[in-house]
Amino acid sequence: MRSVAAVPPRTHRLALDASLLWVIAIALFAALLTALSTFGGSNLSAPLPVKDPKLASSTQPAPGTAGWLLSVTDAKSKTTTQSPADFASFALKPGETLDPAASPAGFTAVYETTIEIDDQNIGSYRFGFDAEGGDATLRVLADSKEIAKATGSGVARSGASAGIVSPWVQVAEGTLSVSVRFVRKADAPARLRVIWERQWQRELRPGLRQGFRAEPIPLPLTRPATAAAETLKAARLAQSGRAMLGAMGCANCHTLGDKSASIVSRKGPLLGDISRRATADWLLRWIANPQAVKPASHMPNLIGDAPKDIADAANITHYLLSLGPTDLAPPAPLATEPRGLATGRRLFHTLGCVACHGPFESPKAVFDVASMPDSVPTDDIPEPYGKLSGKWRPDALREFLLDPRKAHPTGRMPSMALTEEQADLLTRYLITQWDKAPGAKPHAQPSRFIVDPARAQLGKASFASRGCASCHEMGVGTPVVSKLSAKAMIELTAGQGCLEEKSTTTPRYTLTEGDRKALAAGIDSIKKCGPAPAPIDRLAQTINALNCLACHSKDGQGGVAGGGDGLDPYFRNSDEKAELGDEGRIPPNLTHVGWKLTTPWLREVLLDAARARPYMNTHMPQFGEANVGDLVSQLAAHDGIWPDKDIEEPKPDDEQVLAGRTLVGEKGLNCLSCHVWGDAAPTGTAGPDITKFASRIRYDWWRAYVLTPKRFKPDTRMSEFFQNGRSSITAVLAGDHEKQTDALWSYFQLGSFAPAPEGLTTKGGLTLRVGDKPIVFRSFLEHAGSRGIAVGFPIGLHFAFDANTCRLVESWQGDFIDATGAWKSRGGSITGGQGKPIWTAPAGPSIIIGPQPTTWPKDAPPDTAYHFKGYDLDPKGVPTFNYTITSGTRTITVHERFEPSANKPALISRQFTIEGAEGLELWINGGKPQVIAIGVIEGITKNGESWMKVDMTEKPVGAKMSITP
């Protein structure tokens, strides 16, 4: 926690023309700045390291000493900037750069590190990389001799290893030197990702580590050369300084010009309705001397000791209170019954609030467990919020807790996804605790404060002239324009202005010597920065500014477990009897989270409070799109991954799906003993839902994780089913680990479509009857396969669609389906019970891209892929199936709708809407019998099938046609 220089108290005889009386309450500037109280120079040192299983017996490196030395040379200026890198990886869009000081186009990046191989990690390795948009060369030396080399460009990873790899090489105990050189081609999309992998082999002796699939070289094993230590230390200091400059809002006064991309700048809270949030007496004390109310606040002291200064503080108070309602009803008495306060106490100490604010009470007092610590661990921050007694109006605090961004859009106080009841209970508990602070006045009914219009006008002028309007907007009414004139950031001189320790004429902050050094280094580095955004640098600043490492560990730093700050006992799960371990209570490790999680899922977690582990008491903070909207792409950029892209997944076929189902079930790996399946609870502890694996997790990460889970999570409950390339289940696919992991993933890809694994039970089966609206039922269908979708219509004509091949398969009349096979004992048998078939589609895809084929293909044409994207229901319940077809570099989107014909219900009305096909020729096979095509350029009958040509070579996006058998 942060230690700050003591701020000498100043006593003012502050006078408002009315008695400072009436609680109109809540946290103005400080409210959201409270969360920033622990951010500063002394807090920018690397947090405590986290255990890493990839170290067999090596000593964990000191924080900040692991990683790579990155040297980036600008193509034009030829100047080189050196900085630390966690991994040798990046992914950059056009216009983005790897280092803020380098231009995007044509830069040269060189990564260098050493790797210590001890006697537990010897074996046969190969090294490689993915490289796009540039040329790369990787070299590995042992005892100054090259033992491995890989070189190439434009190759993306598509299989088990990297795009370019070295031959296998036997690595002995000792030190390896690794260097990677990448030269970007102009401003092309560029990506680099260095990996290594270890060959699967018999143990050379007991305890020797087994092989592993391709992965980034673990951070704890990498260390830059000792000679680079001072260079890296200076670079870290500069990056910390830029983060501080952004968090403190320095750019609000000191303009950045074309260097605005170099920091993540923030403003203060909106003040238009401050009369609802802060009492007059507290607001006056805050304006006069915020550093005395809350030491180390990012709100500087702007008011001096002269009588005019003191009068200005009062005038600004009149002005701010004049902006909102002044006739608020007195707050209702605070409910302080013991049961409500006890619930509020537990909420505050378990939701995650303690990670930023520190606890009020000991774990023993919170949980009433005798074995827990009986003292508050973080006694070095006795007032983490500042002096808030008497400040908040209860109803406004409740509103603030529910939606902090309404008052402070760019603030660091997040929404914690609270219910109304939780916000109410937290409000009662917090106000009660603040009123217990030494010297605090109990929460009372203040008298009404009367605004003096004349003083309010004077306060408005002072608000503009003193620069308050540089950081604060009103959010309502006419904006106030700041009249403060400040130097541009690049014109600042270290040690002067706000950084001058004894200055009385500039804004005064509570800064340590370390703070001043970091800020000075940050200012100096900004002068060298260019206009191009550097996503990896901005990621580091955002994580720092939002204090993510207070809860999460990432790249060997931060986190709760074993952090040494005593907060570990406050993180618990909702079922305290369940054996969930740290995975059930501690926020997850964020190392390689850009590689691990899919882009859509990350966005859901960051912006929609999605949860994979609902039993964890801690809530994921919601900072809002403006603050973390770019975080998903930045996390991917850090890990050398394109958002929304993965390596090629195994294409599910029925044999693979059934093998995967067996492996998941009770006769296989018995994943059901620990994992949720849809709405079915596991027999043991509740791990994440299997049906959501493929939507949450990237295949590339999972296939490396599942073989050696303890390399990624040392304390995981996940069993190691695969040892040295062999599965513990030998009866499925001959125990081959490659085939089994692909079969599992093929099964996961079906999501809720998948036939349930053996071992789950439900309340029996059901024959489905179609009512007055269509029914859509996903199951394992005889002809549509493991991803079959049955669509039943009230008129008695029904269809089967294969989501795996994206084709309408068949149609039948009479009975819809009998779902007993799908639901009986959750066995996942093939669903039957269909009526009389009346139409069967020809083998092969319905649509192909390209010229007319000689014979219609039975499978997807070469270099063509079909991907199902779900379906939409119209108000009548009729589905439209969405899928994409990728051929070479072109991708078209198809929206296919089918239903009984309005004129002849025994016939099929089928319509396609095609997007992105301009310049292409398409062919559709409507099958038998002859079809009537509307809007089709040309139709032919071949082999008894109706083929239709759709010529889009001169057409805009979007072609529609109705095909009626």
Side-chain angles (χ1 to χ4, degrees), residues 53-217:
K54 300 182 180 72
L55 280 173
S57 61
S58 303
T59 303
Q60 187 86 329
T65 62
W68 300 65
L69 170 65
L70 169 61
S71 303
V72 181
T73 302
D74 189 281
K76 293 182 179 179
S77 67
K78 305 301 180 183
T79 57
T80 299
T81 304
Q82 293 185 313
S83 59
D86 298 318
F87 301 94
S89 58
F90 62 80
L92 303 174
K93 295 179 290 187
E96 294 180 338
T97 185
L98 186 54
D99 187 281
S103 300
F107 66 71
T108 298
V110 177
Y111 291 88
E112 299 171 283
T113 193
T114 61
I115 304 174
E116 293 294 331
I117 301 294
D118 63 16
D119 63 351
Q120 297 294 302
N121 284 309
I122 61 174
S124 182
Y125 288 80
R126 65 178 175 181
F127 300 79
F129 56 80
D130 300 335
E132 297 180 66
D135 299 316
T137 299
L138 177 149
R139 299 180 67 221
V140 181
L141 282 69
D143 295 327
S144 302
K145 295 180 180 180
E146 183 175 280
I147 62 169
K149 183 176 182 179
T151 184
S153 65
V155 180
R157 181 175 177 182
S158 60
S161 185
I164 299 174
V165 293
S166 71
W168 291 101
V169 58
Q170 192 67 30
V171 175
E173 187 176 356
T175 301
L176 302 180
S177 296
V178 184
S179 66
V180 187
R181 185 176 186 270
F182 179 91
V183 182
R184 188 177 193 175
K185 294 179 180 177
D187 193 22
R191 186 170 76 91
L192 177 71
R193 184 167 181 263
V194 172
I195 63 93
W196 71 346
E197 55 186 315
R198 182 171 170 178
Q199 200 167 35
W200 299 94
Q201 56 192 16
R202 289 186 176 182
E203 288 188 319
L204 302 180
R205 63 174 183 277
L208 188 65
R209 293 280 173 135
Q210 63 172 328
F212 52 83
R213 277 178 167 155
E215 66 176 22
I217 301 172

